[in-house]
Amino acid sequence: MTGLQAGVAIRRLGPEDAELFNRLSEADNLFDEDPSGAPSGALTPDGARAFLADPSVLFWVAESGPLTVGFLHCIVQRRRTAGPWAELLLMEMGVHTEWRRQGVGTALVSTMELWMAGHDVLEVWVPANTYAVGFYLKSGFTPDEGAILVKQLH
Ligand SMILES: CC(C)(COP(=O)(O)OP(=O)(O)OC[C@H]1O[C@@H](n2cnc3c(N)ncnc32)[C@H](O)[C@@H]1OP(=O)(O)O)[C@@H](O)C(=O)NCCC(=O)NCCS
């Protein structure tokens, strides 16, 4: 966690953090590449609690005192084949625009890797924004073959 400012701490959220989680969701545009977009918006209190209670959800926040300055959200994906029982899919991460390039993103990824090491999970995938590719390469990710596709039902 070299470079992380003193006073920034990282912790995993649980169902008891539903209120904080919803406050973050109402302002998470400030953690996007382009903060002028709309935030994701809050879940219902029960929805937020259920999300954070789901054992396949890993949601960490970086905090400086009362401020949330970064977050990282993964899902635990159980594997079909022999070898490690699961892998991670890094769904989303963001560092508040005013807190970038201060080691917060690196510290969040290190926290995820500690969790992986403690749970016999050896691989993590990320569908990365173009903007963030440099960060992921610096964090030790490597490009994979193929393309990520998406289909939306209307
Ligand atoms: C990508 C992001 C999470 C990085 O967080 P961060 O806290 O700024 O990252 P760090 O300070 O730990 O950066 C570590 C190193 O990664 C590299 N890096 C960080 N951001 C980078 C960027 N946008 N482009 C290229 N390299 C980058 C740098 O080498 C940096 O080290 P340096 O500052 O000493 O040069 C942050 O820029 C962000 O929230 N971006 C908007 C949301 C986003 O794109 N999320 C990813 C979705 S897939």
Side-chain angles (χ1 to χ4, degrees), residues 6-153:
V8 176
I10 295 180
R11 67 184 177 100
R12 183 171 164 196
L13 298 188
E16 66 283 3
D17 298 302
E19 212 176 300
L20 182 150
F21 172 79
N22 268 342
R23 276 202 305 277
L24 172 62
S25 302
E26 282 167 345
D28 60 3
N29 53 313
L30 300 175
F31 297 70
D32 280 347
E33 177 190 351
D34 175 9
S36 67
S40 313
L43 295 175
T44 63
D46 279 350
R49 275 190 290 275
F51 176 79
L52 293 169
D54 184 333
S56 69
V57 169
L58 302 175
F59 199 102
W60 287 280
V61 290
E63 296 175 310
S64 173
L67 298 177
T68 301
V69 300
F71 71 93
L72 189 157
H73 166 205
C74 287
I75 58 169
V76 181
Q77 179 68 50
R78 188 172 277 274
R79 283 164 49 99
R80 179 181 66 84
T81 50
W85 66 283
E87 57 201 9
L88 293 192
L89 183 58
L90 200 171
M91 299 294 290
E92 197 183 3
M93 73 177 291
V95 171
H96 190 286
T97 47
E98 289 170 16
W99 287 79
R100 290 191 190 152
R101 306 302 281 255
Q102 299 175 52
V104 175
T106 302
L108 284 161
V109 168
S110 299
T111 301
M112 174 191 73
E113 289 175 2
L114 269 180
W115 186 96
M116 291 170 69
H119 292 81
D120 298 323
V121 171
L122 299 181
E123 209 161 63
V124 52
W125 298 80
V126 62
N129 285 346
T130 309
Y131 172 83
V133 166
F135 167 75
Y136 288 118
L137 291 175
K138 186 78 188 288
S139 302
F141 286 73
T142 52
D144 194 48
E145 289 174 7
I148 294 173
L149 309 178
V150 64
K151 179 174 183 180
Q152 287 179 341
L153 300 186

